[in-house]
Amino acid sequence: MTVKRINLSFSLDRKDDLEVFNILSKQKYKTDYVIKAVLSYIGERDKGFDKEIVKQAVKEAIAECGGITIENKGKENDSCVQHELPDDIFNMFNNL
C-alpha cells in the first residue's frame, strides 16, 4: 500500500484559513474528512449547470413557440398576435 502526504499551511491571519484550520483541528479522522469534503465539493460543482446552455435552450424554446410579442408596433390591438409560452418551459425551470 502506497501512502502519500500533502502538507497544508494555514495563515491564521486570514479569516478563511482560520475557519478551515479550526474545523480540521476538531476532526478526529482528518484525512477522511478532507477526502469527503473535496469529493463533495467537486461533485456539487460538476452538478452545476452551465448558464449559457440554459439561456440558449430557453431562447430556442421561445423561438419554437413563435417568440414573444412585446408591443403592438403600429397594429391595432385586434391584430396583435399574442404568443403563449408552453407549460414545458415552466416545467423545465421547475425541474432545475
Side-chain angles (χ1 to χ4, degrees):
M1 176 173 98
T2 303
V3 176
K4 298 281 186 174
R5 287 191 166 276
I6 294 178
N7 294 318
L8 301 174
S9 298
F10 298 93
S11 173
L12 301 183
D13 295 334
R14 297 189 309 203
K15 181 182 172 191
D16 289 344
D17 286 27
L18 179 61
E19 184 177 355
V20 171
F21 177 81
N22 288 331
I23 291 169
L24 289 175
S25 295
K26 294 176 186 175
Q27 301 304 314
K28 184 174 182 179
Y29 302 104
K30 292 170 180 49
T31 302
D32 288 337
Y33 186 83
V34 170
I35 289 170
K36 289 176 183 170
V38 170
L39 291 176
S40 176
Y41 173 77
I42 296 298
E44 289 300 315
R45 188 182 67 186
D46 290 345
K47 282 185 199 175
F49 58 89
D50 186 343
K51 187 169 135 179
E52 292 305 315
I53 292 173
V54 172
K55 284 172 58 176
Q56 186 59 37
V58 170
K59 287 178 188 177
E60 289 173 11
I62 291 171
E64 285 177 10
C65 73
I68 300 175
T69 303
I70 296 173
E71 56 184 89
N72 203 354
K73 293 191 180 185
K75 296 180 182 178
E76 294 179 21
N77 285 340
D78 294 342
S79 64
C80 182
V81 177
Q82 294 293 326
H83 297 288
E84 287 188 28
L85 295 176
D87 289 335
D88 291 343
I89 292 176
F90 299 105
N91 291 339
M92 176 183 66
F93 285 110
N94 287 333
N95 291 330
L96 291 177

